[in-house]
Amino acid sequence: MGTVVDDAAAAEFHAFFEAHYAELARLALLLTGEADAADDLAADALTALWHRWDRVRGADHPVAYARGVVANLARTRIRGAVRERRRIALFWAPRGGGDGYAVEDPDVSAVVDVQGALRRLPFRKRACVVLRHAFDLSERDTSLVLGISVGTVKSQTSRAMAELHRLLGHEGPAVRVQVAVAAQRTGGRR
């Protein structure tokens, strides 16, 4: 039987889990572009948080800490996937003209366009855009999540938005990112 402290910590963690799991899974989805991996990454992040719960619950910004764990896990997953693709490319000639990112029955064309453009950005730029525009985090909160300075967040976001503007055309990328995220939240219905 657990102690009173253990029961209180478990109840506190359970409340944190209920309040933030969906948000962390959505962050993982937007960072990786892989729906199948999003739940796994959020669960892995929350498992890691549970193992350090005494330290996490005492932090100034436990949600920012959780987002940082998800971002790091997503970065590790993306790097592993890139290494795997490179190894496969050494042994197999590319087949077809696609980019390897098949989208099954997209409901909203903006989602497809934005996801494709986001995939082309380096991880840090992608993370800055997603956290700033899809999650409406401040520059300071984004810097806390990613463990970088506010100035780096500003420059990476600015450069990423310029790149997205180039990739997506004349319609404002921030508007398209927000439309795409809204479509994902509602399952493709506007």
Side-chain angles (χ1 to χ4, degrees):
M1 188 128 212
T3 65
V4 173
V5 174
D6 291 341
D7 291 341
E12 197 174 278
F13 178 77
H14 181 75
F16 183 86
F17 179 95
E18 291 292 326
H20 300 289
Y21 176 79
E23 171 191 346
L24 296 174
R26 194 172 81 241
L27 173 61
L29 172 63
L30 291 169
L31 290 176
T32 64
E34 300 175 20
D36 296 339
D39 285 331
D40 291 342
L41 287 174
D44 289 348
L46 285 162
T47 300
L49 292 175
W50 171 245
H51 290 293
R52 297 178 197 88
W53 186 243
D54 287 340
R55 201 171 359 155
V56 173
R57 72 182 187 181
D60 290 337
H61 304 286
V63 176
Y65 185 87
R67 290 176 182 143
V69 172
V70 169
N72 287 334
L73 289 172
R75 179 180 1 212
T76 300
R77 182 175 183 84
I78 290 167
R79 285 180 179 163
V82 167
R83 281 191 301 271
E84 183 66 20
R85 280 195 291 270
R86 286 180 183 156
R87 281 194 293 269
I88 291 170
L90 290 174
F91 297 103
W92 300 97
R95 298 175 191 222
D99 63 0
Y101 296 105
V103 178
E104 296 178 22
D105 193 28
D107 292 326
V108 178
S109 63
V111 172
V112 175
D113 293 344
V114 170
Q115 286 177 343
L118 284 171
R119 273 191 214 102
R120 295 176 69 181
L121 295 177
F123 180 81
R124 186 180 284 180
K125 288 180 183 176
R126 181 182 336 145
C128 286
V129 169
V130 167
L131 291 169
R132 293 281 294 126
H133 293 283
F135 282 79
D136 295 322
L137 292 186
S138 68
E139 290 164 342
R140 182 177 176 276
D141 289 342
T142 301
S143 74
L144 286 171
V145 168
L146 298 176
I148 57 178
S149 71
V150 172
T152 301
V153 170
K154 289 178 181 181
S155 67
Q156 292 291 297
T157 304
S158 175
R159 290 176 184 150
M161 293 304 288
E163 182 69 11
L164 287 173
H165 183 71
R166 186 185 67 73
L167 292 169
L168 295 172
H170 296 293
E171 187 177 341
V175 172
R176 293 190 71 178
V177 168
Q178 290 169 346
V179 167
V181 170
Q184 284 188 335
R185 286 181 188 154
T186 61
R189 299 175 306 275
R190 289 191 187 200

